[in-house]
Amino acid sequence: ALPTTITIAFLVVAGLILPSVHSLSNNSKPNFQDIVSKMRADLPQPKQASPSVSLSNIDYASPPSCVAQEARSLNLFSTTPLIYSAPLSRLCHPHPVFLKLDLLQPSGSFKDRGMAHLCTTVKKMHNSASNSDTADRMKVISSSGGNAGLAVTTVARNIPQMDVSVIVPETTKPLVVEKLRSLGAEVTIHGKNWNAADALARQWVDDAKKSGGGAVYVSPYDNPLLWTGHSTVIDEIITQLLEQSFDQATTQTNNMKIGAVLASVGGGGLLCGILEGVERNYHGSNKIRSNLVRGTKVVACETEGAASFAASFNSDDGSIVCLDEIHSIATSLGATSVTPAVIQRSRRHRDRGEISSSGDDVMSFVCTDGEAVQGCVQFASDHRMLVEPACGASLAPLYSDRLRAKLLDQLNDNEDSVIVVEVCGGSGVNLDLLRGWKESFLEK
């Protein structure tokens, strides 16, 4: 049996605030599309790469920019622990492995970060348009395979005067549907996959606008506000790594590098955020933080049958490939196509590494369902925590002998670099489900 308690010390870092919606609209009434358009266009401009520097007299722990401060100040998402993994470090020697435990977010997944930033922003705009801090109720309508719906519901219930409707596909686990309803969401089950559920969500928002009602569409992954919220995970990882006490025989703080960040990819929202966070710190004024992510390889992890990112990223022209169907146990990765922004950002990160010869890269790793389940089972055994197969995909490159050899080969140019896994979490898991997956995929 797995222990029922996990004692973890939470590290706290300061957040910073998004420019006010009034400044974005030149003191006119704010428009949601205006802020989205601005954030799509407001990308960092390349600067000369920072050289390796000393730690002396530098406040290396300070995050570089104002990110999601209002959502953080309202405790709508958590600064999650970054822990050293001895079992995975042994497997990946000589690279120390750290786990970013976003499964400990209030809803159970990383999605709280983006949803918190998005919901506080749209609520602030709604109140401003009504010239009141206590405006009429507003509704957000989201489509979700489960985790995004749980995140937006968890966040919205802590924001006054905000209601939530969530449309989920038929593949959504009953466990997740029950959790959504228990949190107060209005839940509708519709369609064979997420795309069908999403089409209905968009239709409802359009219908509400035509009838004069107020409703805002919330994508589970395709919105710059979500990406910026998710990018806070990189700010935290950098701060926490620089605060760690390392064994002098393995890693010295003043030459530490993040060799790889591993993350699961569904529609691409988390990966967009990770790339945004890396880019923001890379081009920031703090040379220590910049140097830490210089040469970082971002590893996009998917399962066979749900590998929409790999299909698009590996295409000759970078065009978006739409899968016919999802055939994977990792239903939370079940977007048949990714946002175009994640392909654009991934290619920009890779191109920067090629131009500067710094080693920055994006790598696509596709595992089998069995390898994803193996990651879940071994992670539970090693670290006494449960994750669903969508998260197991990001653990598979370390637990699978086949994939680990491929990853370590790509890191052989910097043996002291650390590996960080974004343990994104997911609420579609319990002991019975994990046991069933193990029997189906590992005990045949």
Side-chain angles (χ1 to χ4, degrees), residues 44-50 63-65 276-291 293:
Q45 297 301 311
K47 296 180 181 178
Q48 186 174 357
S50 301
S65 60
E276 181 174 321
V278 169
E279 191 161 338
R280 180 171 60 245
N281 283 275
Y282 183 92
H283 293 307
S285 60
N286 189 312
K287 294 183 179 180
I288 290 295
R289 300 180 72 93
S290 176
N291 190 56
V293 295

Side-chain angles (χ1 to χ4, degrees), residues 214-425:
V216 174
Y217 168 74
V218 175
S219 169
Y221 65 86
D222 194 8
N223 188 305
L225 292 170
L226 292 175
W227 309 335
T228 296
H230 297 333
S231 74
T232 59
V233 72
I234 293 296
D235 295 338
E236 291 177 17
I237 287 170
I238 292 172
T239 298
Q240 290 166 323
L241 279 175
L242 290 170
E243 291 176 341
Q244 293 279 347
S245 296
F246 289 97
D247 185 332
Q248 295 297 312
T250 58
T251 305
Q252 297 286 339
T253 306
N254 61 353
N255 65 3
M256 189 199 326
K257 294 280 190 180
I258 299 178
V261 176
L262 280 64
S264 297
V265 184
L270 174 59
L271 189 56
C272 275
I274 286 174
L275 290 166
E276 181 174 321
V278 169
E279 191 161 338
R280 180 171 60 245
N281 283 275
Y282 183 92
H283 293 307
S285 60
N286 189 312
K287 294 183 179 180
I288 290 295
R289 300 180 72 93
S290 176
N291 190 56
L292 189 63
V293 295
R294 178 176 167 80
T296 295
K297 302 180 191 304
V298 178
V299 184
C301 307
E302 300 171 285
T303 57
E304 294 175 357
S308 53
F309 173 82
S312 298
F313 186 65
N314 294 328
S315 65
D316 293 337
D317 58 357
S319 59
I320 300 303
V321 176
C322 185
L323 305 180
D324 293 331
E325 290 184 285
I326 299 298
H327 298 285
S328 175
I329 191 175
T331 55
S332 295
L333 302 183
T336 56
S337 62
V338 294
T339 174
V342 77
I343 303 301
Q344 296 163 4
R345 293 183 179 204
S346 295
R347 287 176 176 253
R348 184 170 67 229
H349 183 77
R350 183 191 61 188
D351 292 348
R352 183 178 69 222
E354 292 178 353
I355 293 170
S356 65
S357 300
S358 60
D360 303 79
D361 200 358
V362 173
M363 299 186 295
S364 171
F365 273 49
V366 179
C367 68
T368 65
D369 278 354
E371 287 171 327
V373 170
Q374 178 192 13
C376 296
V377 171
Q378 195 60 50
F379 180 73
S381 177
D382 287 344
H383 300 287
R384 304 171 302 283
M385 289 177 272
L386 301 182
V387 295
E388 60 181 65
C391 181
S394 65
L395 295 162
L398 304 187
Y399 281 121
S400 162
D401 293 341
R402 173 180 72 91
L403 296 175
R404 184 172 64 253
K406 176 183 175 183
L407 176 64
L408 296 182
D409 182 63
Q410 293 296 314
L411 298 178
N412 61 10
D413 57 336
N414 191 344
E415 291 190 351
D416 288 332
S417 63
V418 303
I419 298 171
V420 179
V421 183
E422 161 64 351
V423 186
C424 57

Side-chain angles (χ1 to χ4, degrees), residues 50-121:
S50 301
S52 179
V53 294
S54 168
L55 279 174
S56 60
N57 301 318
I58 294 180
D59 181 16
Y60 60 83
S62 297
S65 60
C66 299
V67 183
Q69 169 64 18
E70 184 167 2
R72 193 186 290 277
S73 68
L74 293 172
N75 296 316
L76 297 178
F77 70 95
S78 302
T79 298
T80 54
L82 182 77
I83 66 169
Y84 173 78
S85 171
L88 286 170
S89 295
R90 285 194 293 271
L91 285 176
C92 298
H93 180 78
H95 302 278
V97 176
F98 291 85
L99 304 172
K100 183 59 172 170
L101 300 181
D102 262 359
L103 81 170
L104 297 178
Q105 291 291 348
S107 79
S109 84
F110 76 95
K111 288 182 179 287
D112 289 23
R113 295 178 180 275
M115 288 298 179
H117 182 49
L118 186 151
C119 287
T120 53
T121 302

